[in-house]
Amino acid sequence: MHVQEWLETVPAVSIYLLVGIVIGLESLGIPLPGEIILVSSALLASQHGDIDPVILGACATTGAIVGDSIGYAIGRKGGKPLLTWLGGKFPKHFGPHHIATAERSFERWGMWAVFFGRFVALLRIFAGPLAGVLRMPYWKFLIANVLGGIVWAGGTTAVVYYVGVVAEAWLKRFSWLGLILAALVGLVSFLVVKRRGKQAAEEQELLEAESEAAAERDRVPAAD
């Protein structure tokens, strides 16, 4: 059963709680499909009047902000050993390579890494705990956390909801086959964009590694 089909069997209040809890746990640092749950719920709200998109967006935003804040507190208290422990439990998400990439993002962008991290699956999991581990001032973290939560959770809910409303009205002229085709096109587009983003990130990491290696070679003669 697909996520959206399963959500259709759940009462509206339960969906609000589910979205808030899943996104909160993901923001806290637990690898969960928060974005998939949010998009599926917003799309479901566009097709069923029982689900209020405003309440849905508010729950998603609250979960994102609260989860990130708890993750920050845990990271600040646990420090580097926490990342090592997480790496042992979730090597696919918290391996040394992932941690190094996230740390470089924080060193380069600071509080903006928390804000923009909302839109990147890896950083969305890392943002709160890593900001705490790196001792980012809480006021900076809080500003980026609140703004990022509102823009990502609220914005995603609004965009998906209105796209779903428009698509449903337009596709009423056609069969359900047309709706399925539109959904497949949207899924393929999403996967292509995601893949290109991953490739761009890998190319950037390769360039940074080559730059560091070149800098290291330049330092060796100087040391002699």
Side-chain angles (χ1 to χ4, degrees):
M1 181 181 291
H2 295 295
V3 173
Q4 189 173 351
E5 293 176 349
W6 177 75
L7 287 174
E8 290 178 353
T9 66
V10 180
V13 174
S14 299
I15 290 178
Y16 300 146
L17 292 175
L18 176 67
V19 168
I21 291 172
V22 170
I23 291 178
L25 290 176
E26 182 190 36
S27 301
L28 190 152
I30 300 176
L32 289 175
E35 191 170 46
I36 294 176
I37 293 294
L38 178 58
V39 170
S40 298
S41 299
L43 186 59
L44 186 64
S46 70
Q47 301 170 6
H48 298 272
D50 294 338
I51 303 174
D52 189 329
V54 175
I55 298 177
L56 181 66
C59 290
T61 301
T62 301
I65 295 172
V66 173
D68 245 13
S69 296
I70 295 175
Y72 175 90
I74 294 174
R76 193 172 181 87
K77 184 176 182 179
K80 291 285 187 178
L82 173 65
L83 297 180
T84 303
W85 180 81
L86 288 172
K89 293 292 183 180
F90 306 103
K92 291 184 178 180
H93 298 88
F94 290 89
H97 173 72
H98 301 96
I99 294 175
T101 300
E103 285 183 337
R104 284 197 299 269
S105 299
F106 270 74
E107 290 172 358
R108 183 174 182 180
W109 302 107
M111 64 183 290
W112 291 109
V114 176
F115 177 84
F116 290 111
R118 276 286 166 203
F119 303 88
V120 181
L122 175 64
L123 287 181
R124 189 160 55 246
I125 299 173
F126 269 109
L130 191 57
V133 169
L134 297 178
R135 301 277 174 176
M136 176 182 291
Y138 183 70
W139 68 269
K140 287 186 176 182
F141 170 79
L142 183 61
I143 292 174
N145 180 27
V146 172
L147 292 177
I150 292 173
V151 174
W152 175 73
T156 298
T157 302
V159 169
V160 173
Y161 174 80
Y162 285 112
V163 167
V165 169
V166 172
E168 184 181 22
W170 183 74
L171 289 170
K172 278 182 180 178
R173 309 173 197 174
F174 304 94
S175 65
W176 280 102
L177 181 60
L179 179 59
I180 295 173
L181 180 60
L184 289 176
V185 171
L187 177 61
V188 171
S189 299
F190 170 77
L191 292 176
V192 169
V193 171
K194 185 176 181 180
R195 183 177 180 181
R196 288 182 178 177
K198 184 178 180 181
Q199 290 176 342
E202 291 176 349
E203 291 175 359
Q204 180 63 30
E205 291 174 11
L206 180 61
L207 289 175
E208 291 179 358
E210 292 176 349
S211 178
E212 291 176 1
E216 184 65 26
R217 287 195 299 270
D218 292 340
R219 283 196 294 269
V220 171
D224 295 338

